[in-house]
Amino acid sequence: MRIALLTYSTKPRGGVVHTLALAEALSRAGADVDVWTLGRGGDSTFYRPVDPAVGVRAVPFPEVPGEDVGARIQRSIAVLRDAFTPGDYDVVHAQDCISANAALPCLRTIHHLDTFTTPALVACHERAVVEPVGRVCVSESVAAEVKAGWGLTPTVIPNGVDADRFARAAGPAGDADRAMWRSRLGPYVLALGGIEPRKGSIDLLEAYALIRRRRPDVRLVFAGGETLFDYRDYRAAFERRAAELGVHHEMLGVVDEDVLPGLVAGASAMAFVSTKEGFGLAAMEALAAGVPVVARDLPVLREVFGDAVRFAAEPMAMGGSLASVLAEPPDPAPGRALAASYTWEAAAAAHLAFYAQHLSEGGGRA
């Protein structure tokens, strides 16, 4: 079976992490897999090495100074569509709104649903939900949102987790990496994904200001943040609020993949307060490393994490929960067991069954 997986970026965003791990697991299961992406900023490959058995097709995508978000996304769709060769594959599976619009008709994974106000982006999002020939969601909660909004019934296939990699970072093999981060940062609460509205960054800032009263030694650290969207206004509001609260934070930007597990494992806690998520892969990796997680109280995160994390709905409760896990870290064993229960091998097997079903239904190329 020849499979094309499509994603919109080479950078370490959640959907891209998912795409590469799934591609490698499918390849180990015997499939012939290529990953197609846009090579933004001159990239010719992904943020990390990819198993050589997986083909990487990075389509050049030069930057256009002054281009607004809507125009960039429309150009992204057009450039990827013009380069992609769907006839080479039995299965075409897009992992996001942009690549789905470029590859229709295709299969689509809907990781989470977005809300746009620009007409072109609203139309892009709508097509990527309605027009694929089949859909996957990584949680029952998101599948229920799709059914409620469009009357469609996606197949639910949970994410895998590279739990061993993060567990190793928390053990003797990761001592030096954890010590390096703790020496640089001191005790820290970690948030992955940058400063942006969907990540609830200003809410986290408010929560951090509360715990600083009791734990002035604890630093708030943000890592990641690669995105297509322009969040300058939100980031300016974040910085204004930080100044008003008199608190400081550390922005690491995109962290190299080889040192990320040590950064996660070295944290005193992870704050995972996104307003929308499909699964919560970064939080699951933190649990694999034995790091306590405070998550926003969302149905999808209740579904995926159960009792393995602390939930909080608003900044005051987030601050209280963070202070609690910092003072008395919970038993890490349940979280580690939960993370280890999600494997990419299981995800790949479920995807292959999903692909076989679509092909057997006589629809030709999936």
Side-chain angles (χ1 to χ4, degrees):
M1 184 184 293
R2 291 217 68 202
I3 301 167
L5 299 183
L6 292 91
T7 185
Y8 73 101
S9 176
T10 55
K11 310 298 185 185
R13 295 291 286 188
V16 180
V17 173
H18 169 103
T19 304
L20 294 184
L22 175 60
E24 291 169 332
L26 288 169
S27 179
R28 291 193 295 271
D32 185 358
V33 186
D34 286 342
V35 178
W36 286 75
T37 189
L38 291 169
R40 300 179 186 279
D43 286 353
S44 60
T45 189
F46 285 94
Y47 67 93
R48 68 164 177 85
V50 180
D51 186 331
V54 174
V56 173
R57 306 288 183 264
V59 179
F61 189 80
E63 296 297 321
V64 174
E67 185 176 43
D68 66 29
V69 172
R72 188 183 314 129
I73 288 178
Q74 293 301 321
R75 185 166 64 92
S76 298
I77 293 167
V79 169
L80 187 55
R81 180 192 295 128
D82 289 348
F84 181 51
T85 55
D88 293 344
Y89 302 98
D90 304 302
V91 172
V92 174
H93 187 172
Q95 297 293 321
D96 51 76
C97 169
I98 290 171
S99 62
N101 273 263
L104 288 168
C106 63
L107 301 173
R108 159 89 198 278
T109 293
I110 303 170
H111 291 273
H112 67 271
L113 293 167
D114 287 303
T115 302
F116 296 114
T117 55
T118 304
L121 300 186
V122 171
C124 172
H125 184 269
E126 183 76 7
R127 282 193 301 271
V129 173
V130 173
E131 295 189 21
V133 297
R135 299 156 197 85
V136 172
C137 289
V138 293
S139 61
E140 295 282 357
S141 296
V142 177
E145 288 185 67
V146 174
K147 186 170 180 61
W150 290 270
L152 302 167
T153 305
T155 296
V156 176
I157 304 176
N159 257 314
V161 180
D162 192 352
D164 286 347
R165 177 167 172 249
F166 286 84
R168 286 194 302 272
D175 286 349
D177 286 342
R178 296 196 310 278
M180 182 271 290
W181 286 114
R182 289 170 177 167
S183 173
R184 173 178 171 181
L185 299 170
Y188 58 96
V189 171
L190 178 64
L192 294 178
I195 297 170
E196 58 185 77
R198 188 174 71 84
K199 295 299 180 181
S201 308
I202 293 178
D203 281 354
L204 177 55
L205 188 67
E206 301 277 357
Y208 174 64
L210 295 172
I211 66 172
R212 285 275 295 175
R213 298 171 186 174
R214 284 181 274 179
R215 289 293 305 271
D217 60 317
V218 173
R219 186 174 297 188
L220 178 60
V221 175
F222 292 88
E226 174 64 31
T227 179
L228 283 177
F229 297 98
D230 183 355
Y231 294 131
R232 281 177 293 183
D233 289 346
Y234 184 85
R235 289 170 183 163
F238 177 94
E239 296 296 345
R240 285 195 302 272
R241 187 59 182 143
E244 291 166 0
L245 293 167
V247 298
H248 302 284
H249 59 279
E250 183 83 15
M251 264 304 303
L252 300 178
V254 177
V255 175
D256 288 345
E257 185 70 4
D258 58 346
V259 299
L260 176 63
L263 175 67
V264 172
S268 300
M270 173 174 278
F272 196 74
V273 298
S274 303
T275 59
K276 291 183 180 181
E277 285 290 343
F279 179 83
L281 184 56
M284 200 66 76
E285 292 168 343
L287 292 181
V291 175
V293 173
V294 172
R296 190 181 292 269
D297 197 350
L298 302 177
V300 62
L301 300 183
R302 287 274 182 182
E303 171 199 335
V304 172
F305 290 97
D307 296 331
V309 306
R310 300 283 180 90
F311 290 103
E314 41 75 33
M316 184 170 288
M318 292 170 191
S321 294
L322 283 166
S324 176
V325 300
L326 289 170
E328 295 185 41
D331 178 6
R336 284 178 166 146
L338 178 65
S341 72
Y342 291 101
T343 69
W344 285 111
E345 285 66 32
H351 277 84
L352 288 171
F354 175 71
Y355 299 155
Q357 176 188 345
H358 275 271
L359 291 170
S360 70
E361 290 173 350
R365 179 175 62 83

